[in-house]
């Protein structure tokens, strides 16, 4: 019998989606599930984006430029100029989601066996992208006690070797919701300058910052123009996860020329999705004001209710729409399965994402879960109450 690759064997399962079969069986039994496991917003997609598709009279669904529509990149450049003057369409390649942008970035800067340092917990698919690219993830642990803030610079420096190519961050963070301060971004900028590394920032949640906090893009830091690579997406900003449109942004011409070769190899990003994404740039600020206010209210409710559950520890997120909660269980993976297989409260249960899959350090995050507050407040309230009762039963 033919054998699959070692790379295929090493490819990690998604901690967000691996419990789907258990959820499907629970639904077949008639249970209602509150999905706290996946960052699929329930916020409506902007009408301007949907109308661009509905009212389009395109007659030939043709390829676009491998870098994406020029008209779209020009508008994106204007958007990024508010963050970093001097951004041009040539500094942008449109990709099939932020996922492809990360794959392009890794393929551009790293060879097989090279290393990228990532503060953990981190977006679980970074492990998958690294495996697909032959890159070794070198984790530096951030802790719930510190609200998942940036680990000390000295911890990064201990991990830098001749094979280190980059530091990768998600800001605001998935799965933690942590929003890096200007001082922390400046510290990272100083490290990559000192050791001649790339700094990759996944900034897909840029707009989602709460409590008067500001997002600080690496594109705004002077002196690291050749080091900085930004990954972005329309998925969360405009509640357009299904569009699968992202981009890679950098002022490093060699990076962009190399990434372009990867872009050419996959031909082009999807046409209709680019049409919707280009139109989405016309979304009024009032849309974001309402969305951010809604998420802040959901966050406040979720965190306050979780804090009422005995022996649950929760980090308060400053951005995005996730938080990490530490539960009084030995194995959150088993608990998450039990919630779907064996528990219900009035025929209702919840689905969470075990957090161990957001770490690469063996054994880390084993009693933690990631919760996405993408449900309306009434449903969040019910979900946390179900979680509270479930923990009482599970531990008895």
């Amino acid at each position: 019998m033919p054998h699959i690759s070692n790379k295929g064997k090493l490819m990690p399962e998604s901690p967000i989606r691996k419990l789907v079969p258990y959820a499907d069986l629970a639904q077949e039994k008639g249970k209602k599930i509150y999905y706290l496991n996946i960052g699929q917003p329930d916020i409506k997609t902007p009408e301007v984006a949907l109308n661009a598709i509905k009212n389009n009279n395109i007659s030939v669904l043709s390829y676009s430029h491998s870098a994406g529509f020029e008209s779209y990149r020009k508008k994106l450049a204007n958007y990024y100029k508010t963050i970093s003057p001097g951004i041009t369409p040539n500094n942008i390649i449109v990709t099939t989601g932020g996922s492809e942008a990360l794959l392009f970035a890794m393929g551009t800067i790293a060879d097989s066996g090279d290393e990228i340092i990532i503060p953990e917990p981190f977006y679980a698919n970074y492990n998958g992208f690294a495996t697909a690219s032959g890159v070794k993830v070198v984790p530096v642990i951030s802790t719930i006690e510190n609200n998942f803030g940036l680990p000390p610079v000295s911890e990064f420096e201990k991990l830098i070797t001749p094979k280190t190519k980059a530091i990768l961050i998600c800001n605001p963070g998935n799965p933690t919701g942590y929003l890096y301060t200007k001082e922390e971004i400046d510290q990272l900028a100083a490290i990559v300058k000192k050791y001649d590394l790339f700094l990759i920032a996944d900034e897909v949640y840029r707009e989602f910052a709460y409590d008067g906090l500001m997002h600080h893009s690496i594109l705004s830091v002077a002196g690291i123009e050749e080091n900085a690579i930004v990954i972005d997406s329309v998925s969360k900003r405009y509640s357009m996860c299904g569009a699968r449109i992202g981009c890679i942004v950098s002022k490093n011409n060699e990076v962009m020329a190399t990434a372009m070769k990867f872009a050419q190899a996959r031909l082009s990003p999807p046409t209709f999705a680019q049409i919707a994404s280009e139109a989405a740039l016309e979304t009024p600020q009032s849309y974001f004001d309402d969305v951010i206010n809604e998420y802040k209210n959901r966050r406040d409710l979720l965190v306050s209710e979780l804090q009422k559950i005995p022996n649950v520890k929760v980090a308060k997120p400053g951005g995005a729409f996730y938080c990490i909660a530490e539960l009084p269980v030995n194995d959150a993976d088993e608990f998450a399965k039990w919630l779907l297989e064996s528990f219900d409260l009035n025929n209702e249960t919840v689905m969470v994402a075990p957090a161990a899959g957001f770490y690469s350090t063996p054994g880390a995050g084993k009693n933690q879960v990631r919760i996405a507050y993408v449900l309306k407040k009434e449903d969040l309230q019910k979900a946390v109450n179900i979680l509270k009762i479930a923990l009482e039963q599970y531990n008895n």
Side-chain angles (χ1 to χ4, degrees), residues 313-357:
K313 188 184 295 183
V314 59
K316 187 175 182 179
F321 38 70
Y322 307 102
C323 75
I324 291 284
E326 197 165 277
L327 306 181
V329 299
N330 292 325
D331 189 329
D333 216 324
E334 291 304 314
F335 175 65
K337 291 177 187 174
W338 177 84
L339 282 170
L340 296 168
E341 278 188 314
S342 307
F343 174 81
D344 70 87
L345 181 66
N346 301 321
N347 216 32
E348 296 182 336
T349 190
V350 296
M351 187 174 181
V352 294

Side-chain angles (χ1 to χ4, degrees), residues 109 165-167 192 196-200 226-229 252 255:
I109 68 168
K165 297 298 180 182
I167 294 171
V192 298
D196 201 23
L197 306 174
F198 288 103
L199 178 57
I200 306 172
E226 298 300 309
N227 310 75
I229 301 172
N252 184 315
V255 163

Side-chain angles (χ1 to χ4, degrees), residues 123-188:
Y123 176 47
N125 283 334
Y126 294 166
N127 277 324
F129 301 144
T131 300
S133 303
V135 171
K136 180 182 177 183
V137 170
V138 178
V140 53
I141 285 196
S142 60
T143 65
I144 197 168
E145 288 75 19
N146 190 35
N147 215 37
F148 297 109
L150 189 74
V153 168
S154 58
E155 294 302 306
F156 285 88
E157 293 189 302
K158 288 177 188 175
L159 300 172
I160 293 173
T161 74
K163 285 191 169 290
T164 305
K165 297 298 180 182
I167 294 171
L168 167 59
I169 62 169
C170 185
N171 183 34
N174 175 6
T176 65
Y178 186 78
L179 183 67
Y180 288 100
T181 65
K182 185 178 186 305
E183 290 73 23
E184 288 171 326
I185 294 296
D186 287 342
Q187 288 173 18
L188 289 167

Side-chain angles (χ1 to χ4, degrees), residues 84 87 167 169 182 184-201 203 216-230 249-253 255:
S84 176
I87 292 284
I167 294 171
I169 62 169
K182 185 178 186 305
E184 288 171 326
I185 294 296
D186 287 342
Q187 288 173 18
L188 289 167
I191 297 172
V192 298
K193 282 287 286 184
K194 180 179 179 180
Y195 293 96
D196 201 23
L197 306 174
F198 288 103
L199 178 57
I200 306 172
E203 297 185 353
H216 300 283
S217 173
I218 64 169
L219 291 174
S220 66
V221 182
I224 62 165
E225 290 82 4
E226 298 300 309
N227 310 75
I229 301 172
V230 160
V249 187
S250 180
K251 290 184 178 179
N252 184 315
N253 292 331
V255 163

Side-chain angles (χ1 to χ4, degrees), residues 14 20 41-42 46 51 58 146 154 156 169 174 199 202 204 236 241 253 291-292 295 304 311 318 336 342 361 371:
S14 167
V20 167
D42 64 349
N51 287 337
I58 195 167
N146 190 35
S154 58
F156 285 88
I169 62 169
N174 175 6
L199 178 57
D202 180 344
V204 305
K236 315 301 180 178
C241 296
N253 292 331
V291 169
I292 290 166
Y295 278 132
S304 65
N311 302 312
S342 307
T361 298
I371 295 176

Side-chain angles (χ1 to χ4, degrees), residues 53 56 58 60-65 69 243 245 268-278:
I53 299 297
N56 198 282
I58 195 167
V60 177
L61 200 57
S62 59
Y63 291 121
S64 75
H65 190 289
F69 293 155
I245 290 292
S268 70
T271 294
F272 267 125
Q274 285 186 83
I275 291 170
S277 300
E278 182 175 334

